[in-house]
Amino acid sequence: MATIEWRSPASEMAVRQFDIAAERLNLDKNVAGRLRRPDRALIVSVPTRMDDGSVHVFTGYRVQHNDVLGPFKGGIRYHPDVNLGEVGALAMWMTWKCSLVGLPLGGGKGGIACDPKKLSRNELQGMTRRYTAEILNFIGPEVDIPAPDMGTNEQVMAWVMDTYSQHKGYAVPGVVTGKPVDIGGSLGRREATGRGVVYMIMEAAKHLELDLAKCSAVVQGFGNVGLVTARELAALGVKVVGASDTSGAVWNAKGLPMAEFVLYKDKNKRVQGFPGAESVPGAELLELKCDILIPAAGEMQITGENAAGLKCKILAEGANGPTTPEADQILKEKGIFIIPDILANAGGVIVSYFEWVQDLQNFFWTEDEIRNRLREILNRAFHEVIGVSRREKVDMRVAALMIGVKRVARAMLWRGLYA
Ligand code: NAD
């Protein structure tokens, strides 16, 4: 993203991926130059009253990468490592993701550098409300619609929605997605990302002629995305043999007993110490033998350093940006089938789109309708990516990016440059 303030490993990686796709597409140089950078970025100070009476000033971000296809859309992340470059990279990936699956939405992302686990409910609420107030003029149902990401959940979305609505003087449910169903959220949104990952694994297994009932899986990051993915895979008969979170990693060669494991995580807020499994070092988890590996935590987990050690057949990227371009090259040589992030985890933004549409129409759908429409959109995108990958002789990631980038570029050329 060219200038110094954007510099971070994640943004450099996002731009490198974009450049590979742009070159394959022979993209107009002027359009490429524009797409390498976000439209707009906001850095805000978020003074928050802590429980001991002091005021702590957190730093918050909202980056809007591109809205040529529709309003900006993207999550809000609470994590100590959040910075402008990372949020910029995540916003760019949102642009390609929305475009790839054909949503009338652009790409954005936000976040606050903080450790939500160390904040009380009061502190979390105060920080969220002040952050919302600071970005208030830059979000809205027609402008930019946040959603949950790492470290945030439906409660945080409810506070964002309430703060925005209090300022407007009336309820505006369409300002965020991933809200509780009681205040205009959608059925199936909480499960959407994990469910989408599983639909894509099912398509990949068909494509590779693998019998899922004979497959094993490992999940890095047992949070919203990882937990739902693991639970739904187990329901299909997949043996989920390993899982991790920030507390550590656990392993059971016979398969983790899923119902008990989920209950344990729910109660203890960690996977470490689960009596039905052995503990393994977190770094080794990714290199355990399994058929399907699902990174569902942070960026750049699979790198030039550890990619050669991966033993899976399918890499399904629940997380955004878990694999570096160096690792991509190694995985390609090893013949590992990658379901790239902008396809594998697009279920979240697809059902967020459904939630937004339902809010705007004040007309709500059944969970079956949501599941079926989600699956239809994802399966269509999967086969489109396979088609481009075959025709253009590129890997799944480059194919997915080529489709996403091309739609955005075409729309930009139609709309022209306003100067
Ligand atoms: P979450 O906060 O619910 O869960 C993240 C989990 O990862 C936590 O259990 C945490 O302990 C664990 N974790 C963090 N760092 C780890 C590490 N180094 N090793 C092992 N575990 C680690 O977040 P989430 O919403 O599930 O998001 C996970 C990933 O999925 C992120 O990359 C996010 O951008 C992506 N994603 C989320 C959604 C969504 O709808 N929530 C949609 C698309 C993509």
Side-chain angles (χ1 to χ4, degrees):
M1 292 183 194
T3 51
I4 191 155
E5 62 275 13
W6 291 106
R7 239 161 250 169
S8 85
S11 70
E12 275 157 33
M13 174 174 145
V15 171
R16 271 178 70 194
Q17 290 178 341
F18 166 74
D19 283 342
I20 294 170
E23 201 183 309
R24 289 296 308 215
L25 285 167
N26 211 0
L27 199 70
D28 180 295
K29 292 273 177 295
N30 299 321
V31 171
R34 182 69 191 83
L35 285 174
R36 251 180 229 118
R37 296 169 180 229
D39 282 2
R40 181 186 292 129
L42 200 60
I43 305 182
V44 294
S45 295
V46 188
T48 304
R49 175 84 58 199
M50 307 304 277
D51 290 347
D52 65 3
S54 66
V55 173
H56 186 83
V57 185
F58 293 94
T59 304
Y61 306 88
R62 186 76 193 166
V63 176
Q64 300 174 334
H65 175 258
N66 188 286
D67 68 344
V68 75
L69 294 175
F72 301 103
K73 185 91 192 77
I76 296 176
R77 176 174 292 194
Y78 288 174
H79 192 276
D81 298 339
V82 164
N83 59 61
L84 183 66
E86 180 187 60
V87 178
L90 290 162
M92 182 188 267
W93 287 325
M94 283 306 294
T95 303
W96 314 143
K97 191 187 302 182
C98 292
S99 166
L100 168 66
V101 294
L103 304 181
L105 294 167
K109 205 84 178 192
I112 302 181
C114 69
D115 186 348
K117 285 197 212 94
K118 294 199 176 129
L119 298 175
S120 69
R121 181 183 159 90
N122 250 336
E123 292 166 342
L124 204 57
Q125 176 166 185
M127 182 185 77
T128 300
R129 287 188 182 277
R130 183 60 188 254
Y131 169 69
T132 308
E134 294 295 339
I135 64 168
L136 201 93
N137 292 324
F138 296 86
I139 58 172
E142 279 97 32
V143 187
D144 182 355
I145 308 122
D149 190 73
M150 267 218 303
T152 57
N153 54 23
E154 57 186 19
Q155 175 60 81
V156 172
M157 294 307 113
W159 290 327
V160 174
M161 179 268 187
D162 184 67
T163 307
Y164 186 87
S165 300
Q166 296 294 346
H167 279 258
K168 293 288 165 193
Y170 49 90
V172 189
V175 65
V176 284
T177 57
K179 301 176 291 294
V181 172
D182 295 328
I183 55 169
S186 175
L187 294 171
R189 172 60 186 90
R190 197 188 301 155
E191 299 80 15
T193 311
R195 229 171 236 165
V197 174
V198 174
Y199 292 153
M200 294 296 85
I201 291 172
M202 289 164 87
E203 287 311 295
K206 263 191 245 162
H207 177 71
L208 301 172
E209 295 178 6
L210 287 176
D211 178 1
L212 278 181
K214 293 191 182 124
C215 287
S216 59
V218 165
V219 180
Q220 182 202 38
F222 208 64
N224 174 301
V225 177
L227 187 152
V228 174
T229 304
R231 204 180 51 201
E232 304 259 326
L233 280 178
L236 292 175
V238 175
K239 217 163 42 164
V240 181
V241 291
S244 69
D245 62 13
T246 44
S247 73
V250 294
W251 162 261
N252 179 341
K254 292 197 191 113
L256 296 160
M258 198 44 69
E260 290 158 44
F261 187 53
V262 168
L263 270 178
Y264 180 87
K265 165 81 186 186
D266 240 22
K267 190 163 160 233
N268 302 285
K269 309 285 171 232
R270 59 186 162 85
V271 299
Q272 191 62 267
F274 176 60
E278 285 167 43
S279 129
V280 283
E284 281 175 25
L285 185 90
L286 298 172
E287 300 183 34
L288 291 174
K289 191 166 167 25
C290 64
D291 298 299
I292 308 157
L293 177 64
I294 302 123
E299 297 94 59
M300 290 179 283
Q301 297 297 307
I302 301 163
T303 64
E305 304 284 301
N306 63 0
L310 263 58
K311 297 178 187 69
C312 58
K313 296 189 180 98
I314 298 175
L315 177 68
E317 296 182 335
N320 286 305
T323 311
T324 65
E326 292 77 19
D328 271 339
Q329 206 44 46
I330 297 169
L331 300 180
K332 196 170 171 178
E333 282 155 22
K334 284 173 72 85
I336 293 178
F337 185 85
I338 300 184
I339 313 174
D341 49 5
I342 60 170
L343 176 64
N345 70 35
V349 74
I350 294 171
V351 179
S352 271
Y353 164 65
F354 295 164
E355 179 174 335
W356 178 66
V357 169
Q358 292 171 83
D359 287 339
L360 295 181
Q361 299 187 337
N362 287 303
F363 181 72
F364 290 85
W365 312 348
T366 65
E367 189 153 359
D368 269 354
E369 279 174 284
I370 285 162
R371 269 186 221 227
N372 294 340
R373 286 182 182 176
L374 167 64
R375 191 158 187 189
E376 193 186 311
I377 293 178
L378 277 174
N379 283 0
R380 193 173 58 215
F382 182 93
H383 291 286
E384 204 180 333
V385 175
I386 289 271
V388 170
S389 157
R390 279 201 181 124
R391 264 199 314 281
E392 302 289 331
K393 300 190 174 41
V394 292
D395 60 40
M396 288 287 281
R397 184 180 322 283
V398 176
L401 285 167
M402 283 171 75
I403 299 168
V405 170
K406 191 173 174 180
R407 266 192 201 130
V408 173
R410 227 170 28 214
M412 281 179 76
L413 289 169
W414 273 116
R415 287 181 60 166
L417 180 67
Y418 176 70

